[in-house]
Amino acid sequence: MEKKKLVLIGNGMAGVRCIEEILKLNGGKEKFEITVFGSEPHVNYNRIMLSAVLAGDTTIKDIEINSIEWYEENEIELFTNETVMRLDTEQKVLYTNKDREMKYDYVIMATGSNPFILPVPGADLEGVIAFRDIKDCETMIDASKNYKKAVVIGGGLLGLEAARGLLNLGMEVDVVHLQDHLMERQLDQDAANLLRVELEKQGMNFLMPKLTDKIVGTNRVEKVIFKDGSETEADLVVMAVGIRPNTLVASESDIEVNRGVIVNNYMQTSALGVYAVGECAEHREVVYGLVAPLYEQGKVLAKHIVGENAGAGYQGSVLSTKLKVSGVNVFSAGEFVDDGSTRSVRVYDEYEGIYKKVMIRNNKVVGAVLFGDTKESTKLLSMINEGADVSDMAPINILQSNDAVSESLTASLAANDNVCGCNGVTKGTIVSAIREQSLCSVEEVSGCTSAGRSCGTCKPMISELLADTLGDEFDAAAKTEALCGCTDLTHEQVVAEIREKGLTHTREVMNVLGWKNEGGCSKCRPAINYYLGMVHPTNYEDERESRFVNERMHANIQKDGTYSVVPRMYGGVTNPTELKRIAEVAEKYNVPLVKLTGGQRIDLLGIKKEDLPNVWKEIGMPSGHAYGKTLRTVKTCVGESFCRFGTQDSIGMGIALEKKFEGLNTPHKVKMAVSACPRNCAESGIKDVGIVGVEGAWEIFVGGNGGTELRKGDLLCKVKTSEEVLEVTAAYLQLYRENARYLERTSHWIERVGLDYVIEQVISNEQNRKELSDRMDTVLSTIKEPWSEIYESNKLQTELFKNKHVEVIQ
């Protein structure tokens, strides 16, 4: 059978998912010769995760959904950086911006949407951008290196994600919003107020309600002026005020367009053989912008184009949103604003930051908003979709079970309840896949069912389903995750073998333990190097060639090949002499940017590789280890010496901690902070180790994380003296060093092993705490200051800075 020519216009999430659905169906691969055109220079990637890239929590490579190999394996012809301009629907020929003409039998338009740019004076100035694609992401990251003040216009989800990312990049951020409360399309006033309070704690400043009048500047934006006459300074303006369906190809091809490209229940347009799916499509006068309905459309289209029975086709979707906004869980579905015809059940805990509201009309749930705790979201969405009668339920039981012994969340779900709302994957589908295909990890479930492939908020539920389905087998499977593809051994097994067999070198580990890849890979080599140093702290010689490039060079490499240098400033404290030396070095070596970091340090960016040793020597300060898997900084507030609220000497405590643990190799980077009172000005509550002064004592918090996946630290213990703080911290960090997997942050480690385990090992068992602390002292006695070690050694300078043919792990 001769294959039909199928062309996808748009290489985004909705269009490529539709192609995936076609390939799954019987005969899909045999029926079509597939070509994909994408305007961006990238393979298909997860646009939802752009905020994580902006925040520095992941990379562009990590958010790829389909690799170039996937296109090749499925015999899909891919043209990137090429835009289809119009179709001749009579002759069935398409035309691109590169003068390409191509015959087709079927076309799927998945051209997505364009960001809306406010039509105000100055919108065309340099530094005014949208937040829609990888290029916008890269522009914001570059701007953060040279500028300090950002203004985000738009208080919806996208605007708040952009603001959170810019904060992580060290910029000061104003969020401008036209409405009087945030995320008005997903949250009611009460939930939005709680969200604002939380985001203000994280550093966002809100200007609302405000209407932008104009943006001013000479060449680059300098300020934003509002209709009420007020203004705010700006080096960067990010517009996140909405999107519009991209209907250009349809319009140029005389295909019927309203707000979007008009389609029927089978996603057919007014032109024969031409379909539309995703954000560009308009179905029953509705354009959808969330991935779940777009994937539903793709399934219907796939069945129809392959010739399978698609039933009544696409019938529209109940909009629901389950996401994390700067680390806060949020869910909304259906109607959530009172209109006089509804009653509501509410739970409002302002102290804990939890808000829940369920809307009921005629004894049926028609909408819900959850903030802070979203565990009932799947049950509520099922009630809304099924029109469940709740007349026999006590109001509070709509939100929670009144059983004496509450069952797990996933155990209470029905088989047809959606676990992954984005991809429409039910509990029954996941459980069947686990049983039938012997799946034992979240990654395997995602690969098999697509659950968790989009926003990722359902991954904890997938993990719980694995545990419910496999029981003890899941615990065993979790412990058998291989270190990398070079071996079947787990992290824990590799460490045990190093101890048992007395292995002392990376190559020896690989040879003795039967590595599949003789030379290892960029994942296992740094891990083995760390484990060897952890097991043999006094007699192991660090293998520089097994280090990532930043750790090897003891400086952070930048996109242009230059490096940044961050000197150590204990507790964030410096003096005129140090400042003068830094200024003189910056002037002598023409450092293009001197910037204060979020950790209270000075960063010199743009230093040439060959200048690094001299820069270090002339600054005359120790390395701040801003490049390593080690202690980065100990942030402090001014404390009792200056602050009228301070109860303890936070600066002295911070300096003592930093001097004790500087240079300590850890599985991942470690950040600390010391606050002199519960007002927590040093952000101790979201650090790997956070110390908070209270009257006559110190509270020690552990496992915090201030990234996109915000995690509040857990209270480990309360002690009275500074000596106890140092001993407990030493024991805790040594326990983390000995038990965590390489590249596992303390926040993830704590969630994996449990706080009770840490308390048992570090607090309850005094003898064990002392032994851990003693082992830490042994490790600390071996640490050398890296910058002085290099600039005092001609041999090391030659190896690192003059040999151009040295292999480094990027």
Side-chain angles (χ1 to χ4, degrees):
M1 182 178 67
E2 184 180 351
K3 289 187 176 183
K4 297 291 186 179
K5 181 70 173 180
L6 171 62
V7 178
L8 172 66
I9 305 175
N11 193 30
M13 295 174 70
V16 176
R17 173 56 65 86
C18 184
I19 296 297
E20 289 180 357
E21 296 294 340
I22 290 171
L23 295 174
K24 286 180 191 176
L25 296 174
N26 184 33
K29 196 167 185 178
E30 292 73 29
K31 286 185 178 181
F32 299 107
E33 176 189 332
I34 302 173
T35 297
V36 177
F37 286 94
S39 297
E40 292 186 68
H42 308 284
V43 294
N44 174 231
Y45 65 89
N46 188 346
R47 198 180 298 275
I48 298 171
M49 296 303 291
L50 278 176
S51 56
V53 174
L54 182 63
D57 291 336
T58 189
T59 66
I60 290 171
K61 183 69 178 175
D62 291 335
I63 68 170
E64 288 181 0
I65 298 176
N66 300 96
S67 66
I68 192 66
E69 290 77 18
W70 176 83
Y71 292 86
E72 293 169 353
E73 289 167 5
N74 288 285
E75 300 176 359
I76 296 172
E77 185 178 33
L78 173 65
F79 294 103
T80 60
N81 254 337
E82 188 164 353
T83 303
V84 174
M85 304 303 293
R86 67 181 181 89
L87 308 176
D88 182 335
T89 56
E90 294 292 330
Q91 300 299 318
K92 291 198 169 183
V93 179
L94 63 80
Y95 302 87
T96 78
N97 63 337
K98 293 189 175 180
D99 298 325
R100 190 188 307 276
E101 297 181 16
M102 182 177 290
K103 294 280 291 181
Y104 69 84
D105 294 297
Y106 299 99
V107 162
I108 300 172
M109 289 192 292
T111 50
S113 57
N114 296 320
F116 179 67
I117 300 296
L118 291 175
V120 296
D124 57 347
L125 283 170
E126 181 184 352
V128 179
I129 63 169
F131 181 28
R132 188 64 183 159
D133 55 27
I134 286 174
K135 184 179 179 182
D136 295 329
C137 211
E138 292 173 336
T139 299
M140 283 188 265
I141 292 170
D142 289 342
S144 72
K145 298 173 183 176
N146 300 293
Y147 301 100
K148 66 178 183 179
K149 178 65 184 299
V151 172
V152 176
I153 302 178
L157 172 62
L158 194 63
L160 297 179
E161 287 182 334
R164 178 65 259 178
L166 290 165
L167 282 176
N168 281 18
L169 291 170
M171 298 192 79
E172 180 186 343
V173 181
D174 285 345
V175 176
V176 177
H177 196 43
L178 180 61
Q179 305 297 326
D180 63 354
H181 74 272
L182 300 171
M183 291 183 64
E184 68 278 359
R185 293 185 179 180
Q186 290 87 21
L187 302 179
D188 66 4
Q189 184 80 56
D190 290 330
N193 289 343
L194 285 174
L195 178 62
R196 177 171 179 169
V197 169
E198 179 59 38
L199 296 181
E200 284 175 337
K201 289 179 185 176
Q202 296 180 25
M204 290 186 204
N205 181 50
F206 292 97
L207 304 175
M208 53 192 285
K210 291 283 185 181
L211 178 61
T212 302
D213 184 42
K214 56 186 173 182
I215 301 169
V216 298
T218 306
N219 295 310
R220 186 181 182 89
V221 57
E222 294 172 10
K223 63 176 66 175
V224 178
I225 299 177
F226 306 107
K227 287 286 187 183
D228 62 7
S230 62
E231 60 183 48
T232 186
E233 294 183 356
D235 301 311
L236 175 71
V237 172
V238 179
M239 290 200 188
V241 292
I243 56 176
R244 287 180 171 175
N246 181 1
T247 60
L248 183 61
V249 177
S251 298
E252 291 293 321
S253 309
D254 293 326
I255 294 172
E256 192 175 356
V257 169
N258 184 33
R259 183 173 168 225
V261 183
I262 296 175
V263 296
N264 63 16
N265 290 356
Y266 302 98
M267 313 314 293
Q268 294 170 299
T269 71
S270 60
L272 186 65
V274 180
Y275 298 78
V277 68
E279 291 177 335
C280 69
E282 179 179 328
H283 176 262
R284 297 181 185 176
E285 299 185 348
V286 178
V287 175
Y288 295 92
L290 299 173
V291 292
L294 309 188
Y295 290 167
E296 289 178 38
Q297 295 173 359
K299 288 180 179 179
V300 169
L301 195 164
K303 286 184 177 181
H304 187 269
I305 203 169
V306 169
E308 288 195 6
N309 182 9
Y314 179 65
Q315 297 297 306
S317 302
V318 174
L319 291 181
S320 67
T321 307
K322 183 180 179 183
L323 39 82
K324 275 198 174 183
V325 184
S326 288
V328 182
N329 289 308
V330 172
F331 168 81
S332 72
E335 303 174 38
F336 55 83
V337 178
D338 301 300
D339 65 359
S341 68
T342 57
R343 295 179 298 119
S344 62
V345 179
R346 300 173 188 248
V347 173
Y348 192 169
D349 186 340
E350 191 172 5
Y351 182 78
E352 292 291 340
I354 293 174
Y355 175 77
K356 303 179 182 184
K357 181 171 77 170
V358 176
M359 306 293 292
I360 301 170
R361 181 188 294 116
N362 300 327
N363 293 321
K364 293 182 180 180
V365 177
V366 294
V369 173
L370 305 177
F371 179 91
D373 177 6
T374 59
K375 61 177 178 288
E376 295 96 352
S377 59
T378 301
K379 180 181 76 172
L380 288 171
L381 184 58
S382 292
M383 286 181 170
I384 295 169
N385 286 329
E386 294 168 8
D389 190 323
V390 296
S391 56
D392 293 335
M393 296 179 69
I396 194 62
N397 289 342
I398 298 171
L399 277 171
Q400 61 191 39
S401 171
N402 64 345
D403 294 342
V405 179
S406 61
E407 57 187 347
S408 75
L409 170 63
T410 51
S412 67
L413 298 178
N416 61 349
D417 283 343
N418 272 343
V419 170
C420 178
C422 294
N423 297 285
V425 186
T426 65
K427 171 186 174 179
T429 300
I430 294 173
V431 171
S432 295
I434 292 169
R435 288 173 175 161
E436 294 169 9
Q437 302 191 40
S438 301
L439 307 179
C440 58
S441 72
V442 173
E443 289 70 26
E444 288 176 345
V445 171
S446 293
C448 180
T449 67
S450 292
R453 285 182 67 194
S454 298
C455 74
T457 56
C458 62
K459 287 185 176 180
M461 290 182 68
I462 298 172
S463 181
E464 192 172 332
L465 276 176
L466 281 161
D468 290 346
T469 307
L470 300 176
D472 293 341
E473 293 178 31
F474 177 62
D475 292 332
K479 296 173 183 176
T480 59
E481 182 182 347
L483 189 154
C484 71
C486 300
T487 178
D488 294 328
L489 297 174
T490 67
H491 290 258
E492 291 78 9
Q493 288 170 334
V494 170
V495 173
E497 293 285 346
I498 289 172
R499 292 185 189 278
E500 184 179 330
K501 293 182 168 62
L503 306 178
T504 57
H505 293 84
T506 301
R507 292 284 181 184
E508 183 183 23
V509 170
M510 294 176 181
N511 291 336
V512 172
L513 302 185
W515 242 237
K516 300 171 188 176
N517 179 7
E518 184 179 340
C521 67
S522 61
K523 187 174 182 180
C524 64
R525 282 165 53 193
I528 295 171
N529 184 53
Y530 168 76
Y531 292 140
L532 286 167
M534 183 268 292
V535 174
H536 308 295
T538 58
N539 55 15
Y540 176 66
E541 186 173 339
D542 185 53
E543 294 181 2
R544 295 179 187 272
E545 65 273 16
S546 293
R547 290 276 192 175
F548 291 104
V549 63
N550 287 344
E551 295 173 316
R552 181 183 173 83
M553 306 305 297
H554 296 284
N556 272 323
I557 192 168
Q558 305 300 305
K559 63 184 294 184
D560 61 356
T562 62
Y563 289 80
S564 74
V565 167
V566 181
R568 177 74 63 183
M569 291 179 178
Y570 300 103
V573 177
T574 186
N575 57 55
T577 302
E578 290 178 345
L579 289 173
K580 186 176 180 180
R581 286 203 302 267
I582 291 171
E584 288 171 345
V585 166
E587 195 170 61
K588 178 178 178 179
Y589 291 94
N590 297 314
V591 176
L593 179 64
V594 180
K595 187 180 186 302
L596 293 177
T597 72
Q600 301 177 334
R601 303 300 186 266
I602 293 178
D603 192 356
L604 289 78
L605 294 109
I607 296 173
K608 297 175 182 176
K609 175 182 174 181
E610 60 270 21
D611 289 335
L612 284 173
N614 287 333
V615 167
W616 296 337
K617 185 175 183 179
E618 291 173 35
I619 285 178
M621 298 165 68
S623 168
H625 290 90
Y627 46 80
K629 310 295 181 285
T630 179
L631 172 65
R632 295 288 181 90
T633 60
V634 180
K635 190 173 184 177
T636 66
C637 65
V638 297
E640 65 177 359
S641 301
F642 292 91
C643 179
R644 58 197 177 99
F645 298 112
T647 62
Q648 298 282 11
D649 178 14
S650 55
I651 293 178
M653 186 74 258
I655 290 173
L657 284 164
E658 194 158 353
K659 286 191 171 182
K660 182 174 178 68
F661 299 111
E662 66 175 312
L664 175 70
N665 283 325
T666 47
H668 211 303
K669 62 185 176 186
V670 169
K671 296 180 181 180
M672 298 190 197
V674 184
S675 300
C677 77
R679 284 174 173 79
N680 228 328
C681 293
E683 301 169 344
S684 302
I686 53 171
K687 300 297 184 187
D688 296 277
V689 178
I691 315 297
V692 178
V694 294
E695 198 65 48
W698 296 99
E699 292 178 336
I700 303 177
F701 293 84
V702 295
N705 191 329
T708 299
E709 294 296 319
L710 187 72
R711 186 182 193 276
K712 182 180 177 182
D714 297 314
L715 179 62
L716 180 63
C717 66
K718 186 174 181 179
V719 298
K720 291 184 178 180
T721 67
S722 299
E723 290 75 20
E724 288 176 293
V725 171
L726 291 170
E727 182 187 36
V728 170
T729 302
Y732 169 74
L733 288 176
Q734 186 63 15
L735 185 70
Y736 167 59
R737 293 182 76 249
E738 294 177 359
N739 288 273
R741 297 163 183 166
Y742 186 67
L743 297 186
E744 185 175 34
R745 288 294 300 270
T746 60
S747 55
H748 298 140
W749 174 65
I750 281 278
E751 290 186 346
R752 179 167 64 85
V753 303
L755 181 65
D756 290 343
Y757 167 77
V758 177
I759 291 174
E760 179 185 341
Q761 296 293 314
V762 175
I763 306 303
S764 303
N765 190 328
E766 188 175 346
Q767 179 60 32
N768 196 52
R769 178 170 72 246
K770 185 178 186 310
E771 291 174 0
L772 285 165
S773 184
D774 288 345
R775 291 201 294 276
M776 172 61 79
D777 287 340
T778 300
V779 173
L780 295 173
S781 69
T782 68
I783 293 174
K784 299 176 182 178
E785 204 293 302
W787 285 356
S788 59
E789 184 184 17
I790 291 172
Y791 65 64
E792 290 172 0
S793 168
N794 290 328
K795 179 175 179 293
L796 286 177
Q797 289 187 53
T798 299
E799 288 178 359
L800 293 172
F801 300 98
K802 297 176 184 177
N803 183 359
K804 296 184 179 180
H805 302 288
V806 177
E807 178 190 4
V808 294
I809 300 172
Q810 296 287 343

